[in-house]
Amino acid sequence: MQTKAYAAQSPAMPFGPHSIDRREPGPKDVAIEILYCGVCHSDLHTARGEWAGTQYPCVPGHEIIGKVTKVGSGVTRFKPGQIVGVGCMVDSCRTCAQCHDGLEQYCDGPVGFTGTYNGPVGGGPNTYGGYSAAITVDEHFVLNISHAEKDLAAVAPLLCAGITTWSPLRHWGAGPGKKVGIVGIGGLGHMGVKLSHALGAHIVAFTTSAAKVADAKALGADEVVVSKDEAQMKKHLNSFDLILDTVSASHILDAFTALLKRDGALVLVGGAPTPHPSPSVHALVFKRRAIAGSLIGGIPETQEMLDFCAQHGITSDIEMIKMQDIEAVYARMLKNDVKYRFVIDMASLKS
Ligand code: NAP
Ligand code: ZN
Ligand code: ZN
């Protein structure tokens, strides 16, 4: 099926209209008309060739909300007309220990999980993501959406920004009695604040943008620290159980490890294209502190997060854009001018 899309043809070329081929649904497939797609900083890293391995043309987008148009004969969980979500993965080996545990993002299969975009497909071009009018996905990787229809655009960012913060918050036990820091108040960070607040932790938001202080409080932060201000940082030395760092660029980690208490963890989810300066080992060994990483989240925990958000009335704070605005939006993301997730109204692609 020929399908309208928006693609980058090289790291330096601006996005433009493009046509891609979507497969007819096989027995286990769900064909989806895309209504909304969130804009993740990973889209920018990938389209601009900031991470190794981008194949062009590149059609990013992995925060997809859409309507089922057709299902294969073996599909049991979805039917035409239903509203569904697709996140960062569209396939994995399904047989390894990680897949059995519902942590498909850590798949040990020959190619790991298949990303919704730029994911390897045997023999063909890499996968194309949600900056497009439609997508066909195996039902295992399709999520059920139970939010109200009026909220659907603001639900799209939960499919990456939501799950990427939910998974480590749950794994490291964010909840009542825990002091949790969220570094970088962009797409991921603002969801991290909302989710950790809903989980009952004491939240401190760290931002380099003084203009975001009031917003961060409104999002649910108990305290907000402008991280460039050393005096403000010092007040929090040795006090955090967990700090989740969502920053999209290289920065000094020691400023945050020093804030962890004994056995605390600094968990990195940001995908900075260049390395962070090497952290101080002394700061780690003297308090048994850890630096760890975390990748998106598995399909079962993504459904758990979506259901939790629907029950607690949680969505993303969004700014709706047209597909044609994507270059201007990337430029704003690079200036940290995000409040707090751009979402593409895919109707604009059809016009
Ligand atoms: P975003 O909306 O652009 O937000 C990033 C925020 O980081 C900015 O708003 C800014 O917050 C802060 N920041 C940016 N440059 C900085 C710098 N030089 N020093 C200090 N702070 C800086 O990006 P996003 O979509 O949330 O994505 C964040 C990162 O996570 C990206 O690298 C993305 O690729 C990665 N990611 C990883 C996963 C995963 O599975 N691990 C999943 C999705 C995305 P303030 O203005 O508050 O300082
Ligand atoms: Zn993402
Ligand atoms: Zn696997």
Side-chain angles (χ1 to χ4, degrees):
M1 295 178 278
Q2 281 305 303
T3 303
K4 282 187 177 181
Y6 239 56
Q9 301 288 347
S10 79
M13 270 177 73
F15 274 84
H18 185 66
S19 182
I20 56 174
D21 191 28
R22 293 296 194 194
R23 65 177 186 268
E24 282 290 342
K28 297 297 281 178
D29 279 342
V30 179
I32 301 162
E33 176 197 359
I34 299 177
L35 303 174
Y36 304 107
C37 183
V39 179
C40 179
H41 208 116
S42 301
D43 302 357
L44 188 161
H45 291 310
T46 305
R48 301 293 199 229
E50 293 178 356
W51 294 337
T54 304
Q55 193 186 86
Y56 296 91
C58 170
V59 178
H62 58 200
E63 295 185 335
I64 297 169
I65 291 287
K67 190 181 270 188
V68 176
T69 52
K70 211 170 168 185
V71 296
S73 56
V75 169
T76 55
R77 292 169 44 232
F78 302 102
K79 52 181 193 304
Q82 197 172 338
I83 297 295
V84 293
V86 178
C88 305
M89 300 183 282
V90 290
D91 208 355
S92 69
C93 86
R94 325 269 184 102
T95 58
C96 74
Q98 316 305 329
C99 288
H100 272 296
D101 285 350
L103 295 169
E104 300 89 343
Q105 74 274 34
Y106 303 119
C107 176
D108 290 328
V111 293
F113 74 90
T114 304
T116 302
Y117 59 81
N118 202 42
V121 179
N126 284 0
T127 52
Y128 297 125
Y131 295 7
S132 60
I135 191 167
T136 306
V137 181
D138 184 294
E139 77 165 325
H140 180 83
F141 291 89
V142 179
L143 284 311
N144 192 47
I145 300 296
S146 50
H147 282 80
E149 197 163 338
K150 67 173 174 46
D151 292 331
L152 292 180
V155 172
L158 303 182
L159 276 309
C160 174
I163 184 57
T164 302
T165 49
W166 176 262
S167 182
L169 288 170
R170 297 282 283 165
H171 182 76
W172 274 274
K178 294 290 170 78
K179 184 171 174 183
V180 174
I182 306 287
V183 187
I185 307 304
L188 266 56
H190 96 290
M191 286 313 308
V193 171
K194 287 190 184 210
L195 293 172
S196 47
H197 175 74
L199 288 167
H202 181 89
I203 315 305
V204 181
F206 293 92
T207 180
T208 57
S209 308
K212 291 182 183 172
V213 170
D215 284 359
K217 286 205 174 129
L219 291 166
D222 298 287
E223 301 174 64
V224 185
V225 169
V226 177
S227 52
K228 295 172 189 160
D229 181 334
E230 276 184 35
Q232 283 189 43
M233 292 290 278
K234 235 179 174 174
K235 284 189 197 149
H236 292 275
L237 285 172
N238 305 320
S239 65
F240 282 88
D241 297 283
L242 168 67
I243 300 180
L244 187 59
D245 185 334
T246 75
V247 170
S248 53
S250 164
H251 60 288
I252 294 165
L253 303 181
D254 293 343
F256 296 104
T257 52
L259 307 189
L260 296 170
K261 64 186 190 194
R262 194 205 73 210
D263 291 329
L266 172 66
V267 179
L268 306 176
V269 294
T274 54
H276 303 300
S278 181
S280 157
V281 173
H282 279 99
L284 303 178
V285 297
F286 276 87
K287 292 212 180 295
R288 204 161 59 185
R289 293 157 168 153
I291 297 179
S294 183
L295 180 66
I296 50 176
I299 294 298
E301 58 183 341
T302 304
Q303 192 62 63
E304 176 194 64
M305 175 275 310
L306 286 165
D307 295 345
F308 177 91
C309 288
Q311 279 156 18
H312 290 79
I314 297 172
T315 57
S316 174
D317 285 20
I318 65 161
E319 194 175 324
M320 192 93 93
I321 62 158
K322 296 193 184 83
M323 188 69 257
Q324 295 78 2
D325 298 335
I326 195 71
E327 287 293 327
V329 156
Y330 278 14
R332 282 185 56 192
M333 280 169 72
L334 290 171
K335 289 192 282 185
N336 302 339
D337 180 15
V338 182
K339 289 193 165 182
Y340 279 87
R341 196 58 142 185
F342 295 106
V343 172
I344 306 160
D345 180 355
M346 216 43 77
S348 63
L349 185 59
K350 293 167 199 155
S351 64

